[in-house]
Amino acid sequence: MMETMQTPVMDSLDRALIQALMIDGRAAFSRLAEVLGVSDQTVVRRYRRLHGEGLVRVLGLPLGNRVGFFESWLRVQCAPDAAGSVADALARRPDIGWVKLGSGGTDIHCLTKARNRSDRDTLLLDKLPRTRRVTGVSAHTILRKFTGGPDRWLGLDVLRPDQVAALEPPRPSGDQSERYTLDDTELAILAVLGRDGRAGYPELARATGLSESTARRRLERLREAGAMYLDVEIVPQTLGYEAETTLMLTASPARMAEAGAAIGSHPEVPFAAVVTGSANILAVVVCRDADALYTYLTERIGAVPGIHQVEVIPTLRNVKRAGMLVEDGRLVDPPPAP
């Protein structure tokens, strides 16, 4: 189960606004208001409240495989008295996200995005194995994502199809299989967007030394090239999803693509990917409660073709999501890494 917290009250407009931001996290407030059928002031007020209370954060993040980052899902085993401090240390690293504690508080799961092979290998082969009270590390390279990253979570479905269509941003252009090399200016833009994906062009201009119009064009180029995506950070419990778990599933090689696509289409699954290792499909699952999780496992996962083994790892505590720490069920900025 997830960490205990007092669940805030969110009405239908809050949920609609969150889903609208999941479609286009940088849509102008006036555009959001038009699509949602409310005033500009109402949208601004709602967003500022949700953001200010740490319930929603929009982040601009590099798309790992497009820009050449090395992405791995790590599973770190620790002594019970050390797992919390190790998880906190991992969460402070800017190249690590999705830090979760599970399996009795001794099992840490996290996602790494190393900018080069050397940084990845230093973490996996040097820093983690030498960390006191770490008893084991396994790394699963992400081979193919089926949902997660630029693919928005399907679990929030309150907007009408016409509203969704009105907010859909243009799809990236060009050959998405080619690597896009980020320059120093683009890295500076992403550093700002990694804290606030809705940061204004004056702030981007100050961070890069560019004019506001040039900063706008550079950001637009990043989006058009598919080198970045906008992620909306929420704590699922604030929307009534009390049970969160990680599934490590094993499928026969001939059925991996079919099974991964099926699981990635489930609204309970915000992240699913084929990974290396004996368990070759990874899925993060959020459900209303334990009973709903049981139903999901027995009826939805049980019906997926090709799956012949499932490990269920309940999330005891979320330490960090894609880019934000989780404290008392709220999203907060991580402190700088030591």
Side-chain angles (χ1 to χ4, degrees), residues 14-35:
D14 290 331
R15 292 169 179 266
L17 176 56
I18 292 170
Q19 186 183 354
L21 291 169
M22 287 180 175
I23 299 169
D24 186 358
R26 285 190 65 86
F29 286 127
S30 58
R31 181 59 175 157
L32 294 170
E34 179 185 359
V35 171

Side-chain angles (χ1 to χ4, degrees), residues 1 3 8 22 112 143 198 207 225 247 262 281:
M1 296 293 293
E3 56 269 28
M22 287 180 175
T112 72
L143 302 177
R198 292 185 63 85
L247 302 184
I281 298 178

Side-chain angles (χ1 to χ4, degrees), residues 42-100:
T42 297
V43 168
V44 171
R45 185 170 61 250
R46 291 296 183 106
Y47 176 76
R48 286 179 176 171
R49 178 180 65 81
L50 293 170
H51 182 273
E53 294 180 3
L55 303 178
V56 171
R57 295 290 183 97
V58 178
L59 305 179
L61 302 172
L63 187 58
N65 59 338
R66 181 79 166 96
V67 300
F69 285 12
F70 291 84
E71 295 184 315
S72 299
W73 187 266
L74 300 189
R75 189 171 184 177
V76 182
Q77 285 81 41
C78 299
D81 61 343
S85 60
V86 172
D88 290 340
L90 288 169
R92 288 195 297 270
R93 293 179 61 99
D95 58 348
I96 287 183
W98 300 105
V99 182
K100 303 169 178 287

Side-chain angles (χ1 to χ4, degrees), residues 8-337:
V9 176
M10 286 197 189
D11 62 18
S12 59
L13 180 56
D14 290 331
R15 292 169 179 266
L17 176 56
I18 292 170
Q19 186 183 354
L21 291 169
M22 287 180 175
I23 299 169
D24 186 358
R26 285 190 65 86
F29 286 127
S30 58
R31 181 59 175 157
L32 294 170
E34 179 185 359
V35 171
L36 298 179
V38 296
S39 69
D40 295 11
Q41 294 84 352
T42 297
V43 168
V44 171
R45 185 170 61 250
R46 291 296 183 106
Y47 176 76
R48 286 179 176 171
R49 178 180 65 81
L50 293 170
H51 182 273
E53 294 180 3
L55 303 178
V56 171
R57 295 290 183 97
V58 178
L59 305 179
L61 302 172
L63 187 58
N65 59 338
R66 181 79 166 96
V67 300
F69 285 12
F70 291 84
E71 295 184 315
S72 299
W73 187 266
L74 300 189
R75 189 171 184 177
V76 182
Q77 285 81 41
C78 299
D81 61 343
S85 60
V86 172
D88 290 340
L90 288 169
R92 288 195 297 270
R93 293 179 61 99
D95 58 348
I96 287 183
W98 300 105
V99 182
K100 303 169 178 287
L101 276 173
S103 295
T106 62
D107 203 6
I108 302 169
H109 289 250
C110 58
L111 178 67
T112 72
K113 285 188 177 184
R115 288 180 57 184
N116 53 60
R117 190 183 301 272
S118 175
D119 288 348
R120 181 197 63 179
D121 292 348
T122 297
L123 175 65
L124 297 182
L125 303 177
D126 184 18
K127 292 186 178 180
L128 278 174
R130 294 186 181 183
T131 301
R132 183 176 176 270
R133 309 290 281 168
V134 168
T135 59
V137 179
S138 59
H140 304 265
T141 300
I142 295 174
L143 302 177
R144 178 67 57 84
K145 290 181 185 176
F146 292 98
T147 191
D151 301 311
R152 61 181 177 269
W153 179 44
L154 300 176
L156 197 58
D157 185 21
V158 296
L159 296 181
R160 301 187 309 270
D162 63 298
Q163 292 175 304
V164 172
L167 289 166
E168 288 281 8
R171 297 185 65 84
S173 58
D175 185 355
Q176 296 300 296
S177 65
E178 293 184 0
R179 180 173 297 182
Y180 183 98
T181 302
L182 298 168
D183 62 24
D184 289 342
T185 296
E186 291 164 334
L187 288 169
I189 289 173
L190 287 168
V192 175
L193 297 178
R195 297 187 299 272
D196 180 5
R198 292 185 63 85
Y201 296 110
E203 184 176 355
L204 295 178
R206 288 192 296 272
T208 58
L210 304 174
S211 67
E212 290 184 26
S213 59
T214 303
R216 178 193 293 267
R217 287 195 299 271
R218 295 300 295 270
L219 173 55
E220 290 174 350
R221 188 175 81 173
L222 282 171
R223 297 189 70 181
E224 290 171 358
M228 64 161 287
Y229 65 97
L230 293 164
D231 187 40
V232 175
E233 294 274 74
I234 60 170
V235 178
Q237 193 176 359
T238 63
L239 295 174
Y241 295 90
E242 300 286 344
E244 183 173 343
T245 190
T246 299
L247 302 184
M248 303 296 293
L249 308 107
T250 305
S252 59
R255 309 300 291 272
M256 278 195 303
E258 180 184 6
I263 293 168
S265 70
H266 294 168
E268 298 88 349
V269 178
F271 181 88
V274 166
V275 297
T276 58
S278 56
N280 47 30
I281 298 178
L282 167 73
V284 175
V285 176
V286 292
C287 294
R288 292 288 179 185
D289 51 31
D291 186 63
L293 176 59
Y294 172 81
T295 300
Y296 175 75
L297 293 172
T298 55
E299 298 182 7
R300 302 297 296 278
I301 292 296
V304 174
I307 299 294
H308 53 82
Q309 186 172 335
V310 180
E311 181 182 4
V312 181
I313 308 165
T315 298
L316 300 181
R317 181 164 68 95
N318 277 298
V319 181
K320 185 182 185 182
R321 300 196 71 81
M324 310 300 294
L325 298 183
V326 180
E327 293 182 359
D328 298 325
R330 303 298 198 272
L331 298 161
V332 300
D333 291 302

